[in-house]
Amino acid sequence: MENPLIIALDFECADRAKDFLSGFEGESPYIKVGMELYYAEGPSLIRWLKEKNFRVFLDLKLHDIPTTVHKAMKVIGGLNVDMVNVHAAGGTAMMKAAKEGLLATGAQHTKLIAVTQLTSTTEKVLKEELLIKDTDLNESVTHYATLAKDSGLDGVVCSVQEARAIKNVCGDDFLTVTPGIRPEGSDTHDQARIATPAEAAVKGSDYMVIGRSITQSEKPAGTYKNILKEWRDAHENHFQTFA
Ligand code: C5P
């Protein structure tokens, strides 16, 4: 079974990130590098992570006109990352341009996924700030997922609560990458649509993205292992019961 846990390496500099990873002794967790760390360190850190055999999800959430995104993806494709993303709100022309940009560099293995609605977005924000009034969050997320699928993307970022509905509409192979995961009793921080690792395991999430619950934990490697165990136990119990 594929390792379903991606650690969000949300640190301000490479030294802190490398120091954190040194605590994982021999393991190579799947790592997400987001805006803070990438803007601080740039491609050299990505090359370092790939040399050390880490799988890398480069979470830059591109959202611009199609030509600009196409050119940016041609550069990102050269970094040989395992996953990268755009905002579905950029539209189908932009998403198709992103995919073509990646393929133009020969980065066939790089998964391209789309952010649907951020897991910090609530129903109130959707209606009162974004003025999306005719639809609810679930519908909006499923609609974005359909657009991403039609544009040739490999999956979406969504909350655990939406993962099953997306699989139902876009198929089981369409990836659901879910942030907003919090082990029982841990701080929710700024996340609004949260779920536990056990819920992620049974509700159609392919990958959990977890940052602060691991990076700010006293024993990150231990917390990482506990979360993986919670996911695997729940997955095994659920799918044995329903087999
Ligand atoms: O610390 P925490 O577990 O909340 O980290 C979640 C990570 O996932 C952050 O790096 C955040 O940028 C990212 N993310 C998210 N919601 C999305 C897309 C990405 O929280 N919709």
Side-chain angles (χ1 to χ4, degrees):
M1 189 191 300
E2 179 137 17
N3 185 333
L5 177 48
I6 302 177
I7 303 179
L9 208 55
D10 291 328
F11 292 107
E12 70 278 12
C13 67
D15 284 349
R16 285 216 51 210
K18 288 177 185 176
D19 185 45
F20 170 80
L21 290 174
S22 70
F24 282 79
E25 289 165 359
E27 280 191 69
S28 292
Y30 201 149
I31 293 302
K32 181 177 87 65
V33 175
M35 295 181 202
E36 181 188 16
L37 189 54
Y38 189 77
Y39 291 155
E41 301 290 348
S44 63
L45 176 66
I46 306 298
R47 292 195 189 101
W48 183 87
L49 287 166
K50 292 305 299 177
E51 272 163 26
K52 302 279 176 206
N53 287 325
F54 288 100
R55 285 194 295 158
V56 177
F57 168 18
L58 187 54
D59 178 21
L60 297 182
K61 301 187 181 72
L62 274 64
H63 189 175
D64 208 319
I65 59 170
T67 308
T68 303
V69 169
H70 183 266
K71 287 180 181 167
M73 279 296 172
K74 279 172 87 172
V75 179
I76 289 172
L79 293 174
N80 193 31
V81 292
D82 300 274
M83 202 184 290
V84 66
N85 59 0
V86 294
H87 267 285
T92 53
M94 189 206 77
M95 287 192 273
K96 284 178 188 161
K99 183 77 183 178
E100 283 160 18
L102 267 187
L103 294 179
T105 63
Q108 256 77 12
H109 70 287
T110 303
K111 302 287 183 207
L112 176 61
I113 61 174
V115 177
T116 53
Q117 294 289 353
L118 295 171
T119 38
S120 54
T121 298
T122 59
E123 201 79 51
K124 187 171 172 353
V125 169
L126 191 79
K127 295 204 158 43
E128 293 177 16
E129 295 184 20
L130 306 181
L131 296 185
I132 301 175
K133 294 182 194 256
D134 296 342
T135 179
D136 62 21
L137 258 172
N138 269 326
E139 251 184 86
S140 159
V141 167
T142 314
H143 176 62
Y144 277 155
T146 312
L147 296 181
K149 164 116 182 155
D150 292 347
S151 305
L153 270 59
D154 301 292
V156 285
V157 184
C158 62
S159 82
V160 166
Q161 283 80 8
E162 296 127 10
R164 182 61 64 206
I166 289 170
K167 295 269 187 199
N168 289 343
V169 175
C170 298
D172 260 350
D173 293 342
F174 194 66
L175 295 176
T176 50
V177 178
T178 59
I181 307 285
R182 290 292 180 272
E184 209 70 64
S186 63
D187 193 334
T188 58
H189 306 104
D190 54 350
Q191 297 285 11
R193 304 190 328 276
I194 58 166
T196 63
E199 284 173 308
V202 302
K203 290 188 172 172
S205 160
D206 291 307
Y207 291 102
M208 304 177 280
V209 175
I210 307 187
R212 288 162 289 186
S213 300
I214 297 176
T215 56
Q216 294 179 4
S217 129
E218 272 177 31
K219 293 186 177 150
T223 305
Y224 171 84
K225 284 187 190 129
N226 290 342
I227 290 173
L228 263 183
K229 184 172 177 346
E230 180 181 334
W231 191 96
R232 288 191 168 129
D233 288 350
H235 194 269
E236 219 174 277
N237 279 338
H238 183 79
F239 289 101
Q240 257 173 17
T241 312
F242 289 96

